[in-house]
Amino acid sequence: MTERELFDSYNKDVYRTCYYMLRNAQDAEDLCHDVFITVFRQDWQSVEHTRAWIMRIAMNHCLNLLKRNQTQRDKQGQVQWLHEQATFSIKSVDTIVVEKTAQEEWEELLKQLPDKLMAVVTLRYIGELSMAEIAETLQIPVGTVKSRLHKALKIMRKKLEHKNNLWLKGENQFGTH
């Protein structure tokens, strides 16, 4: 495999992971570039699990940037949902609005998680890595991956339930139910 083939094979996964971790297209592009510079400076041909190794490098770059710019995460803008989605069918306006709202809700919940939990959720649901791949990527035991994923989903579920309860109380309060 050539460097170009390696880049073509993994750049979308790396970019997507960086984008969801950082919530900023320019930072994700810059970090994606840095990840492949790091990869190409090493003996990448001898790596056994290339995808997991590259994703570990990407995640480490993301976590390092988040640590350096902790306050930046709060200032990040909304994801360009429509720009990100590559669909072949035309969706109704209602479908697009519902999907955009769901995406914004997901992003809001995700950014409220601690970095370690956000990393596991991002790799699992955005990067579509298996538990074993996440463990290898983050260099932690599979049990820790499962525990962090469970904890993150529990936190997100509680926040959603709380939000829904507030919404229902507000609706009943005004007699619109």
Side-chain angles (χ1 to χ4, degrees):
M1 180 181 287
T2 66
E3 286 182 353
R4 183 69 191 173
E5 291 169 334
L6 182 78
F7 178 80
D8 289 343
S9 295
Y10 298 108
N11 76 355
K12 288 179 184 171
D13 288 338
V14 170
Y15 175 81
R16 186 174 53 233
T17 298
C18 292
Y19 184 79
Y20 276 92
M21 286 296 293
L22 305 172
R23 287 176 213 70
N24 181 286
Q26 187 61 51
D27 287 345
E29 278 185 39
D30 292 345
L31 225 56
C32 186
H33 180 259
D34 293 347
V35 165
F36 282 99
I37 288 174
T38 301
V39 166
F40 296 143
R41 286 184 177 164
Q42 298 184 28
D43 185 19
W44 59 270
Q45 284 108 343
S46 66
V47 174
E48 187 177 347
H49 301 286
T50 308
R51 182 172 189 250
W53 178 71
I54 290 173
M55 296 308 286
R56 179 184 324 136
I57 293 170
M59 188 55 65
N60 286 340
H61 276 66
C62 289
L63 292 172
N64 288 340
L65 183 63
L66 286 171
K67 285 176 190 170
R68 284 193 306 268
N69 304 313
Q70 192 67 32
T71 57
Q72 181 180 1
R73 186 171 24 175
D74 298 331
K75 298 175 185 177
Q76 300 298 321
Q78 294 293 324
V79 170
Q80 298 298 321
W81 172 255
L82 298 175
H83 178 69
E84 282 281 311
Q85 300 303 309
T87 58
F88 296 105
S89 63
I90 298 174
K91 296 178 180 178
S92 71
V93 173
D94 290 343
T95 302
I96 292 170
V97 169
V98 168
E99 288 176 352
K100 183 168 175 46
T101 303
Q103 178 67 18
E104 289 170 355
E105 209 169 349
W106 167 260
E107 295 240 344
E108 185 61 34
L109 290 169
L110 195 60
K111 79 177 181 183
Q112 292 175 22
L113 293 174
D115 290 344
K116 288 181 178 182
L117 300 182
M118 182 175 53
V120 172
V121 172
T122 300
L123 289 171
R124 180 72 182 116
Y125 296 107
I126 308 303
E128 299 177 355
L129 270 67
S130 68
M131 297 291 185
E133 289 173 320
I134 296 169
E136 187 176 332
T137 298
L138 298 177
Q139 296 180 315
I140 58 176
V142 173
T144 303
V145 171
K146 290 178 181 179
S147 173
R148 287 182 185 176
L149 187 59
H150 176 75
K151 184 175 182 178
L153 294 176
K154 185 176 178 181
I155 290 170
M156 292 172 81
R157 190 176 305 113
K158 280 187 178 182
K159 289 184 183 285
L160 273 176
E161 288 171 359
H162 178 71
K163 183 178 177 181
N164 288 339
N165 286 338
L166 290 177
W167 182 78
L168 288 172
K169 286 178 184 176
E171 186 175 85
N172 289 333
Q173 178 183 358
F174 298 109
T176 57
H177 193 257

